[in-house]
Every structure is written in C-alpha cells, then in structure tokens.
Amino acid sequence: MSLEWLVAWNWSLDGLRDCIATGIQSVRDCDTTAVVSVACLLVLFVWYCYHVGREPPRPYATVNSLMQGTDAAGLQNGYAYCQSPECVRCAHNEGLNQKLYYNLQEYAKRYSWSGMGRIHKGIREQGRYLSSRPSIQKPEVFFLPDLPTTPYFPRDAQKHDVELLERNFQTILCEFETLYKAFSNCSLPQGWKMNSTPSGEWVTFYLVNQGVCVPRNCRKCPRTYRLLGSLRTCIGNNVFGNACISVLSPGTVITEHYGPTNIRIRCHLGLKTPSGCELVVGGEPQCWAEGRCLLFDDSFLHTAFHEGSTEDGPRVVFMVDLWHPNVAAAERQALDFIFAPGR
C-alpha cells in the first residue's frame, strides 16, 4: 500500500513539474510587448475599481424635488394651484423626464425591460404627449400612451373593489360622522385640509396622501384604513395614490382642472349626496348616489359643485385611487418604483 502511494506521489510531482515547465516556456515564447500590454490593462482595471469604490454617490435629484422646482404661482388651466412644496400635481420641471428615464433604467437593471414598452415610450415622448393632447384630457405630470380613454368607467372596471367599498358603506359613513362632529367646536379640526375654491368650502381628510400614509388620520378611521388593505387595485405605493374623505359645503364650486396622470381611476363612494350636486368630467355630468361608487378618469378636465341649500347639508364622498384596468401588472410594479414617494 505504501509503495503504491509513493509511486502515485512521484507521478503527481512529475506532472506538476511538466506543467510548470510548459508555463515558463509559454511565457518565454510570448511576445514581450503583449505581456506588457496585458499587465498595463490589468493595472488600469484595478485602479478603476478602486476609484469607483471610493467615489461618493452622484447627487440625483428626487422626482418630488424636480416636480417642486418651478414657480407654481398663478393660474394654469383655470385651476388655482396650491403651491404646496409637497404637491406632485402643482409643480413642474424640465428635468422631470430625464429623472423618470433614469428611474426606469434603474428599475430595468434590477428587474427586467420586459413589458416596459409603453412606459419607455411615454417617458421618452412625454413632452410631445402632454403638449399635443386635446384640451379635454391633459394629465399634467405623466401620460401613459395607448390606454383606452373615457371620462367615466363602468363599475365592472374594478368590480371586486367597488363591491367591497359598497358593502362597507355604513362603516365608512359612521367613522366620517364621528370625525365631522369636531367641526362644531372649531372652524377646521386637526387633520382636515382646506382646498382653494372660487366659492364655498371644500375640505378633505386624507388617510393616504400622494402615496404616503397619514398615521394620525388613519388612527381616527381604523376600520376604513384597514379596508384599504383589502382592495386589490388601490394605488398605495406611488405618488399618484390617494385616499380621503372629501366634503363640499352648499354653494361650493371646484374650478375645472386636470389630474396628474391617466394611469389611475378615481373612485368616489357616495356617503352623503343631497340634490343639486354634480360631477362633470370631460363635459359629461353625473350625480353621486349614497352607497354607490362612481368611477372616472380625472386626467380629463373635470369639476364638481354643490348648488343645494344649507338645509341640505354637505356633499360627502370617500375617494380612493385605483389602477386603470389596462395597466398591466408589470407596468404597475415599474410605476410604483419610478414614482415612489421621495424618489
């Protein structure tokens, strides 16, 4: 057994010696210039890796900051802009498309370019789309091409979520009535937001504002907030997603305006709908009904008003943004990444 092991060991040494000799001869036979060139390239590669590793990250601006970078004062499309530093819709910047394209590239590197054709086309040609759109539909931030367009959508467009909201009508209404009692003690209770209107009062109570949960408000409406988690198509992870209670007092008119994008459907669940209230989208009027959902595309020019009397009380709806049914699952994931809050 020992003899066999020794022979095998000697054979291994002979093979190793032959291998080394062959390698040395190969180096000798090789052109010296080629060896030096390879060595220089190797040194350059090592230096590059070291340099990139030490370089601080490039200071890319966020989507929100680019949208907030220009002067939003005055009127645009007849709508009085709020000038809030956090409002996606109310600010614009020439660098936005470049930033969106960078975000798309980052998404594709992490995941895939598969299914990104429409988003790529939309971002690359966003300026042309937004400037050449007919005045009836002109989303102000992002337009996804080749989506079917209509001012109103049938209930079947997002059937599961519509039915779930309508089944929970009483739950949402009860939580609203509890909230609304606070108005008897002060003009604008904590958590409510006053919106600019040419006449009357329009106040909103956000649970989700531009993709960001409002914890203090959600604690005041726990069952309604939990309900949002049961919706299959609720936009909750990007800046185009909102959920709120919207209240119009009698005599209120909301000036015509456009929403920021066509990738969503805005859903209104009627909580209190007195007579004399109307929603007009793309020139087509509709009325709300208590306990029923009304679906529309707010990238169309739209307005709402309450012409009822003081005795009629306010018009109240629960508003939530749902995905447009023709936005594919891969596109939704990419749009959530591109338009993530704070990106």
Side-chain angles (χ1 to χ4, degrees):
M1 186 67 170
S2 299
L3 182 61
E4 291 177 358
W5 178 84
L6 184 60
V7 171
W9 184 71
N10 286 334
W11 180 87
S12 298
L13 284 179
D14 291 341
L16 179 61
R17 188 165 49 249
D18 292 342
C19 182
I20 293 173
T22 302
I24 293 173
Q25 186 61 40
S26 298
V27 172
R28 287 174 178 173
D29 295 341
C30 184
D31 181 39
T32 305
T33 305
V35 173
V36 172
S37 299
V38 170
C40 290
L41 289 174
L42 183 60
V43 170
L44 286 173
F45 176 72
V46 172
W47 174 84
Y48 173 77
C49 291
Y50 172 75
H51 177 72
V52 170
R54 292 182 69 251
E55 189 178 54
R58 293 175 63 186
Y60 287 103
T62 67
V63 172
N64 282 353
S65 66
L66 286 170
M67 290 180 180
Q68 296 156 11
T70 59
D71 181 14
L75 298 177
Q76 298 181 32
N77 298 322
Y79 182 73
Y81 280 71
C82 68
Q83 303 184 44
S84 167
E86 299 178 355
C87 184
V88 170
R89 181 187 61 203
C90 299
H92 307 273
N93 189 283
E94 293 179 357
L96 176 60
N97 292 345
Q98 181 180 355
K99 175 57 183 174
L100 295 182
Y101 189 65
Y102 169 76
N103 286 351
L104 174 60
Q105 289 180 317
E106 285 296 300
Y107 174 83
K109 289 176 185 176
R110 295 189 189 188
Y111 303 102
S112 170
W113 278 104
S114 178
M116 297 299 103
R118 284 197 301 190
I119 296 177
H120 180 266
K121 179 181 177 183
I123 292 175
R124 293 297 296 269
E125 303 185 36
Q126 199 63 203
R128 181 174 67 82
Y129 284 131
L130 297 184
S131 62
S132 63
R133 293 297 305 166
S135 60
I136 193 173
Q137 184 194 27
K138 191 172 290 187
E140 301 192 327
V141 176
F142 178 71
F143 178 79
L144 185 65
D146 306 323
L147 280 183
T149 60
T150 180
Y152 295 97
F153 283 80
R155 293 161 46 81
D156 289 346
Q158 297 296 5
K159 184 177 180 180
H160 173 272
D161 290 352
V162 166
E163 292 179 348
L164 185 60
L165 286 167
E166 292 180 350
R167 284 200 301 271
N168 287 272
F169 160 68
Q170 287 294 338
T171 297
I172 301 171
L173 178 62
C174 287
E175 290 195 330
F176 158 72
E177 289 176 336
T178 301
L179 281 175
Y180 204 63
K181 291 176 182 177
F183 275 87
S184 60
N185 300 323
C186 59
S187 57
L188 190 67
Q190 189 177 49
W192 289 86
K193 178 180 180 293
M194 181 71 71
N195 301 281
S196 176
T197 58
S199 62
E201 288 187 353
W202 172 27
V203 295
T204 45
F205 187 85
Y206 280 92
L207 304 183
V208 178
N209 185 18
Q210 295 182 7
V212 178
C213 170
V214 184
R216 180 177 295 176
N217 288 0
C218 292
R219 286 193 290 270
K220 295 179 181 178
C221 299
R223 291 178 293 176
T224 302
Y225 177 65
R226 283 196 297 270
L227 177 63
L228 292 176
S230 301
L231 301 177
R232 294 177 180 173
T233 61
C234 176
I235 300 178
N237 298 315
N238 71 55
V239 295
F240 298 129
N242 301 276
C244 71
I245 295 171
S246 174
V247 180
L248 290 186
S249 63
T252 301
V253 176
I254 299 176
T255 308
E256 288 184 325
H257 61 284
Y258 303 98
T261 183
N262 66 328
I263 66 171
R264 71 187 186 190
I265 295 178
R266 180 147 283 187
C267 175
H268 281 184
L269 172 65
L271 300 181
K272 290 182 177 292
T273 58
S275 59
C277 299
E278 254 183 31
L279 172 68
V280 182
V281 182
E284 299 181 20
Q286 289 276 0
C287 293
W288 297 275
E290 292 181 5
R292 302 282 288 180
C293 287
L294 183 61
L295 307 179
F296 65 99
D297 183 343
D298 74 326
S299 68
F300 282 81
L301 189 65
H302 63 284
T303 182
F305 54 84
H306 183 353
E307 295 181 335
S309 64
T310 305
E311 290 75 22
D312 293 330
R315 181 240 58 177
V316 185
V317 299
F318 178 63
M319 184 200 81
V320 58
D321 290 321
L322 309 176
W323 284 104
H324 188 294
N326 293 93
V327 177
E331 293 175 318
R332 296 178 186 182
Q333 180 177 322
L335 291 167
D336 278 346
F337 181 90
I338 294 168
F339 289 101
R343 177 171 291 281

